[in-house]
Amino acid sequence: MIAVQDITVRFGEKTVLERFSLQIPHAGLTALSGPSGCGKTTLLRVLAGLQVPQSGKVHVPPRPAILFQEDRLLPWRTVEQHIADVLPRQRRGEVKRWLELVELEGEARSEPGCLSGGMGRRLALARTLAWGGDLLLLDEPFTGVDAPRAARILARIRALGVPVLLSSHEQAVVELCDRVIPLDGPPLAVKAR
Amino acid sequence: MDWRTGGYGALLLPAPLAVAGRLVALAVQPAFWQAAGMSLGRIFAGFALGAVLGTAAAVATAALAPADWVLTPAVKVVRAVPVASFIVLVLLWSPTTGLVPAIVSALMVLPVLWGNVGKGIAQTDGKLLELTRAYRFGRGKTLRLIYVPSVLPYFASGCATALGLAWKAGVAAEVLCLPRLAIGTRLYRAKITMETPDLFAWTVTVVVLSFVLERAMGALFRRMGGEKA
């Protein structure tokens, strides 16, 4: 079970999450939905251990992998190097597999500056998947990616068998998930599909 | 007779052809190349030492607060001291005159590289550093993949600025401390024997060597910047 209990996160005067609790099963695809600024990114960062809440408890697997809201690509590394950089030496042969998963195999030697917005997003996603966490925290994973391609990639991610918690504004993506957690105000409801 | 120079025009400002003729005449002598080579070696050694120390000081001040307290004022003092004072002081302390140009060049380069590399480290993208924490990169990997490529343009720019300073300060130090084989020593001798075409010929040599070194360094940094592991 992935859980947060009574967490409060403030940035200066602004409270983003207040005494917020959540429990989700350690399996399948879970979507966080809600308007901008409702705390989706903050919650994912808390679960990734990058944001420490002012109070409350967080229970997550030991190796969560996060896809940041921004691509955070390195302009001086090629597409294949981005994947190889997060793989241990003995798994370097997997670069092609991860590029195929996000349909970027033809761009292996390209530099990030030559990629479109959607391609850059898919590269960042492939890097997160290749790192191999035991929980995938994906912040807007399909921004700029066309809906049919996003659906194909999401099906492949599901086949990896790793629990996924993603945030998305795209309804088509949210509808493909097993459960949806709206963050647009209390009381918190969990909708099982 | 030129009334403005009292007939000494060629002595004060020799004709370009006379300078070119002296340059050719000097260039066929082994002593010319020995002096040029020794000056180049000394000043480049000083430049390299200053670059290494400046970079190390910048890394130390960025990484350790105590190092910042000690090194920041020290480097600021080095930056403020006039080059002539350094030359005289180092000449006083140095066991051999040949070391003085190298040490003075290093002292000119150190503050420039310290400032530039420090700025590069400070401006490294915090979001990329957070990425390395999220993916649990070790220190070596973070250094290789994030810090080095981020700081390299600042380092290259610092080297381009510092190289000119190193040359000027190094040759000035040679003029004052007169090592046996040195461009500065030949400049000084040309001056006291009133061989103005030689003075200009050696000055042209300094400019050409500085230009060649700058181009070589630029090519090296372009290659490093484009390198893909």
Side-chain angles (χ1 to χ4, degrees):
Chain A
M1 191 69 84
I2 298 151
V4 293
Q5 291 177 330
D6 284 332
I7 61 163
T8 297
V9 180
R10 290 190 200 94
F11 297 104
E13 299 280 299
K14 190 181 176 192
T15 301
V16 180
L17 295 170
E18 187 164 28
R19 295 185 62 80
F20 177 87
S21 296
L22 170 74
Q23 280 194 349
I24 52 173
H26 193 255
L29 305 181
T30 305
L32 296 170
S33 73
S36 297
C38 72
K40 300 189 295 292
T41 295
T42 303
L43 178 58
L44 292 175
R45 288 174 57 80
V46 167
L47 291 168
L50 298 170
Q51 181 74 48
V52 180
Q54 274 81 11
S55 62
K57 287 182 180 171
V58 180
H59 304 279
V60 285
R63 193 180 151 90
I66 186 166
L67 170 68
F68 292 98
Q69 197 169 38
E70 318 83 20
D71 297 339
R72 303 195 188 188
L73 302 177
L74 311 183
W76 44 82
R77 305 295 282 169
T78 63
V79 166
E80 62 185 354
Q81 284 172 335
H82 274 85
I83 307 301
D85 288 343
V86 298
L87 291 170
R89 199 171 292 277
Q90 65 273 19
R91 287 178 52 211
R92 290 279 161 87
E94 293 179 15
V95 170
K96 190 163 174 266
R97 172 198 169 197
W98 296 109
L99 290 180
E100 281 173 354
L101 192 148
V102 297
E103 304 179 10
L104 268 183
E105 61 275 22
E107 300 292 336
R109 291 184 187 276
S110 300
E111 292 182 350
C114 302
L115 303 179
S116 68
M119 288 163 116
R121 197 69 193 136
R122 283 186 276 144
L123 172 57
L125 175 60
R127 179 174 61 185
T128 304
L129 300 174
W131 187 66
D134 43 20
L135 166 65
L136 295 173
L137 303 164
L138 309 180
D139 198 351
E140 302 287 352
F142 298 112
T143 304
V145 181
D146 59 90
R149 195 193 298 266
R152 287 197 301 273
I153 294 172
L154 198 57
R156 293 179 198 130
I157 293 174
R158 181 191 289 279
L160 296 174
V162 180
V164 177
L165 181 60
L166 63 85
S167 74
S168 183
H169 280 105
E170 281 121 311
Q171 197 54 35
V173 171
V174 172
E175 283 175 2
L176 291 169
C177 293
D178 301 321
R179 59 196 77 84
V180 183
I181 300 173
L183 290 190
D184 46 358
L188 185 72
V190 178
K191 296 174 185 168
R193 290 181 72 240
Chain B
M1 188 178 84
D2 186 342
W3 60 269
R4 287 168 300 183
T5 57
Y8 298 107
L11 192 64
L12 295 180
L13 186 64
L17 270 178
V19 174
R22 280 307 296 154
L23 192 57
V24 171
L26 287 170
V28 296
Q29 298 170 11
F32 171 87
W33 296 104
Q34 286 169 350
M38 286 301 287
S39 287
L40 191 69
R42 272 189 211 104
I43 294 170
F44 191 75
F47 169 82
L49 179 68
V52 169
L53 292 178
T55 302
V59 172
T61 49
L64 306 162
D68 185 19
W69 301 332
V70 174
L71 289 172
T72 299
V75 177
K76 283 182 177 171
V77 167
V78 170
R79 183 180 273 167
V81 172
V83 63
S85 303
F86 267 134
I87 295 170
V88 175
L89 285 172
V90 176
L91 186 56
L92 199 65
W93 297 330
S94 175
T96 65
T97 54
L99 277 179
V100 178
I103 296 171
V104 169
S105 297
L107 288 169
M108 291 297 104
V109 172
L110 191 152
V112 177
L113 266 294
W114 172 76
N116 272 45
V117 172
K119 194 174 175 189
I121 293 170
Q123 296 198 352
T124 299
D125 190 344
K127 288 185 173 178
L128 294 183
L129 294 174
E130 188 183 54
L131 176 90
T132 67
R133 287 196 296 279
Y135 294 142
R136 301 180 192 180
F137 286 5
R139 281 185 184 180
K141 202 171 192 177
T142 303
L143 188 71
R144 183 171 62 85
L145 293 182
I146 309 293
Y147 278 113
V148 170
S150 300
V151 171
L152 192 61
Y154 293 89
F155 179 77
S157 156
C159 284
T161 307
L163 192 61
L165 286 175
W167 262 107
K168 286 173 191 163
V171 173
E174 286 179 344
V175 169
L176 285 181
C177 69
L178 303 175
R180 197 171 67 80
L181 289 170
I183 292 176
T185 305
R186 301 296 295 265
L187 274 170
Y188 178 77
R189 285 191 188 143
K191 178 245 171 190
I192 59 168
T193 56
M194 306 287 271
E195 290 164 343
T196 322
D198 280 29
L199 194 62
F200 276 80
W202 281 109
T203 304
V204 168
T205 306
V206 172
V207 171
V208 169
L209 284 176
S210 173
F211 182 73
V212 168
L213 209 57
E214 199 175 303
R215 291 295 294 265
M217 191 166 288
L220 177 72
F221 282 126
R222 274 194 298 280
R223 190 170 173 172
M224 284 169 74
E227 181 193 55
K228 298 290 169 198

